[in-house]
Amino acid sequence: MAVPEDYRRVQSGSTDDFSVTYYDPSGVFTIYLARVPAKDKGPGTVAQQAAEWVSYYRGGGDNKTTIQDVKSTATPAKQQGKDARDVLTSYRDYSAGEDDLYKRYQERYYVNGKKSAYWRLQVSMPDRGAAAKDGEQLFDTIVKHLEIQDL
């Protein structure tokens, strides 16, 4: 995965959590990539997976108390020539006041051909201004250079 070299890399310490997070030294952006193994019935289609996340965000996140004022949409995309979905979510932290800024998750979801796992790429960024444009560019660069084995 292509990320700026000065980002700090933190890999999950859990044996059943296959994820890595990169932290921007300025604290503006966070990049997260996870491989989520299938449960009993598998991850379903990429459209189903994206719809579940959109519903989760619109419902307020964890315990419905993580985020508020949510706008979340899923759109078709391609990754390595295969079906994928982009999810764009604008939100404010649950504890935010009316004057606090909106944030954004820009995500891409993929389900591997064997339906044994799905992948989730998330870039966290401000929702507006120059940093939002920089975040969109960062997301596009990561997606362009991301090559998932056995997709």
Side-chain angles (χ1 to χ4, degrees), residues 10-139:
V10 177
Q11 190 163 346
S12 168
S14 172
T15 57
D16 57 342
D17 180 9
F18 307 97
S19 67
V20 62
T21 305
Y22 293 88
Y23 296 95
D24 167 22
S26 71
V28 176
F29 306 107
T30 303
I31 302 163
Y32 173 79
L33 179 66
R35 178 185 175 277
V36 181
K39 301 275 192 248
D40 299 328
K41 61 181 178 172
T45 67
V46 70
Q48 290 168 323
Q49 201 54 243
E52 285 180 23
W53 280 100
V54 167
S55 177
Y56 169 81
Y57 291 134
R58 288 179 179 170
D62 288 338
N63 299 316
K64 302 181 185 215
T65 59
T66 308
I67 56 178
Q68 64 179 338
D69 302 329
V70 177
K71 293 176 186 164
S72 187
T73 58
T75 56
K78 291 283 185 191
Q79 181 65 30
Q80 295 165 234
K82 307 238 180 183
D83 195 25
R85 288 293 183 279
D86 284 348
V87 173
L88 185 62
T89 304
S90 173
Y91 68 95
R92 287 187 312 135
D93 289 326
Y94 193 75
S95 60
E98 287 187 27
D99 294 332
D100 289 331
L101 299 176
Y102 278 79
K103 298 177 184 177
R104 179 189 315 170
Y105 294 139
Q106 192 158 348
E107 299 173 296
R108 179 156 294 177
Y109 293 87
Y110 335 87
V111 174
N112 69 359
K114 298 175 190 171
K115 297 205 184 298
S116 60
Y118 76 91
W119 291 84
R120 177 180 175 217
L121 170 67
Q122 179 187 74
V123 177
S124 302
M125 65 188 82
D127 190 47
R128 296 185 181 106
K133 289 180 180 142
D134 292 345
E136 291 168 3
Q137 219 172 20
L138 176 64
F139 178 83

